[in-house]
Amino acid sequence: MMAGEYDAELDWLNKLADALDVDVTELFADPDRKQD
């Protein structure tokens, strides 16, 4: 991105997270992992 290149995958992930009303990091969370 610093070189002026467009990262379409990152943009797509951000749009998906926005549509789901979650933080983008939640897209990578393990749903089976127990939270403390």
Side-chain angles (χ1 to χ4, degrees), residues 5-8 11 16-17 21-22 24 31-33:
E5 296 177 19
Y6 180 73
D7 190 344
D11 186 51
L16 178 61
D21 196 29
V22 298
V24 72
D32 296 328
R33 183 173 179 212

Side-chain angles (χ1 to χ4, degrees), residues 12-36:
W12 184 87
L13 288 172
N14 282 321
K15 287 181 181 184
L16 178 61
D18 286 344
L20 296 172
D21 196 29
V22 298
D23 190 85
V24 72
T25 58
E26 291 187 51
L27 299 175
F28 300 97
D30 183 356
D32 296 328
R33 183 173 179 212
K34 295 182 181 183
Q35 296 183 10
D36 297 325

